Amino acid sequence: MELITDVRRADWLVRRLQASGTVAGTVGGGFDGYARVLHPLAAFREDRSVLDEHGDAPVLETSTWRWSDVAARTGRTLDAGVSWSALSASRDEDVLFDDGWRVEPPAEGWLDPRLLAALTSHLSASTTTPLDLVAAVWDGWGDLSGGSTLVSGWQDGTPEATERARAEAEVARLRTAHQAALAAVRRALAVPRLHLTHREHLLVRTTVADWADPAWTERAEIADGVPLAHTPQLLWPEDHAWVLATEIDCDSTLVAGTRRLVDAIVRDHRFEAYEVDPLSALR
């Protein structure tokens, strides 16, 4: 992976973007079909009869749920246009069930790397340029913006003068190193940005194979040692056969492309996916 300095590689997509806040306003119009892939849910079975000093219950079991699992318990309807808040009666809070299960809201702006890896088999088969992809990554993440914060504090009580002086010296050293690291990130990422939907994006040259291994987050770098640990907000091949989008504030991923591609994704039981209308609202 490496940074792209010529943001004109996104001009074709910009021209095809339609009404803001819609599917086609995110992945562009003019494709044969559009699929919405719901992000999976982290679920935990707890023993709520026992609480620790923080009021938390011990976790007995963890699992990955689908939205359909929640719908089966809440009695609500699951369809292509469903919103998490309507399905769960909560947007930001965990959903608690009487049998001890707690379900977290779906991740926004992040597609599970295992699902992205599974998608690559369909994406690769649907492009003539699998070795030439462009990824657009929001530059507002703290580790990419050069704006992360270092926080320090005392854990217990007030330390003695000698210990305090030693700790303050260490904090000063860490802050200097932290500021130097942030400056290095800003220098490494000082390239033109793609401006979309009121956000700035870095463009990265990549391939389908780069995303085929879910462990890509452990080794991906985009410039001078700057790691990439975020799902791309947009991903497309040079032949413009499809577009994948994981918008920052959305709890599902969109794929626009050929009829064959969309049908394959919707039929693949590894995904909880629905075909959507390009003019429908983002969820």
Side-chain angles (χ1 to χ4, degrees), residues 40-211:
L41 310 168
F44 309 86
R45 187 169 65 86
E46 303 170 326
D47 181 0
R48 297 187 191 131
S49 66
V50 181
L51 300 179
D52 61 20
E53 64 273 19
H54 304 293
D56 297 324
V59 174
L60 306 177
E61 181 181 357
T62 62
S63 182
T64 300
W65 283 23
R66 294 189 168 211
W67 292 37
S68 57
D69 296 321
V70 175
R73 288 168 171 256
T74 61
R76 291 177 170 83
T77 302
L78 183 62
D79 56 29
V82 67
S83 68
W84 174 249
S85 58
L87 184 69
S88 65
S90 174
R91 176 176 175 83
D92 300 318
E93 300 294 330
D94 294 354
V95 181
L96 304 180
F97 294 104
D98 292 340
D99 59 357
W101 280 101
R102 173 175 58 85
V103 182
E104 295 182 346
E108 295 183 346
W110 169 258
L111 175 62
D112 188 313
R114 293 170 295 181
L115 287 189
L116 181 54
L119 279 170
T120 59
S121 61
H122 299 301
L123 299 176
S124 182
S126 299
T127 177
T128 60
T129 59
L131 299 179
D132 190 4
L133 269 60
V134 176
V137 182
W138 180 49
D139 74 351
W141 301 113
D143 57 339
L144 298 181
S145 67
S148 64
T149 302
L150 177 67
V151 178
S152 60
W154 308 114
Q155 184 174 1
D156 294 305
T158 302
E160 296 180 356
T162 301
E163 182 182 357
R164 183 184 183 92
R166 195 163 47 239
E168 288 177 341
E170 176 64 12
V171 168
R173 185 190 68 79
L174 291 174
R175 285 178 176 167
T176 299
H178 181 248
Q179 290 302 316
L182 295 183
V185 168
R186 289 192 289 269
R187 287 193 301 270
L189 301 182
V191 296
R193 262 63 165 171
L194 170 65
H195 180 73
L196 287 176
T197 58
H198 312 296
R199 294 191 180 95
E200 304 292 331
H201 299 77
L202 297 162
L203 294 187
V204 180
R205 182 177 292 106
T206 179
T207 70
V208 171
D210 287 336
W211 313 100

Side-chain angles (χ1 to χ4, degrees), residues 257-274:
T258 64
R259 168 54 46 198
R260 181 177 180 181
L261 172 61
V262 170
D263 287 346
I265 292 172
V266 171
R267 289 196 303 263
D268 192 327
H269 296 298
R270 291 176 295 179
F271 314 117
E272 192 170 25
Y274 294 88

Side-chain angles (χ1 to χ4, degrees), residues 3-15 17 26 134-140 189 191-204 233-236 243:
L3 288 174
I4 296 173
T5 59
D6 185 2
V7 296
R8 291 175 299 178
R9 289 195 65 175
D11 284 354
W12 74 277
L13 179 57
V14 174
R15 289 192 295 268
L17 293 178
T26 304
V134 176
V137 182
W138 180 49
D139 74 351
L189 301 182
V191 296
R193 262 63 165 171
L194 170 65
H195 180 73
L196 287 176
T197 58
H198 312 296
R199 294 191 180 95
E200 304 292 331
H201 299 77
L202 297 162
L203 294 187
V204 180
Q233 275 51 76
L234 288 164
L235 185 68
W236 69 82
V243 176

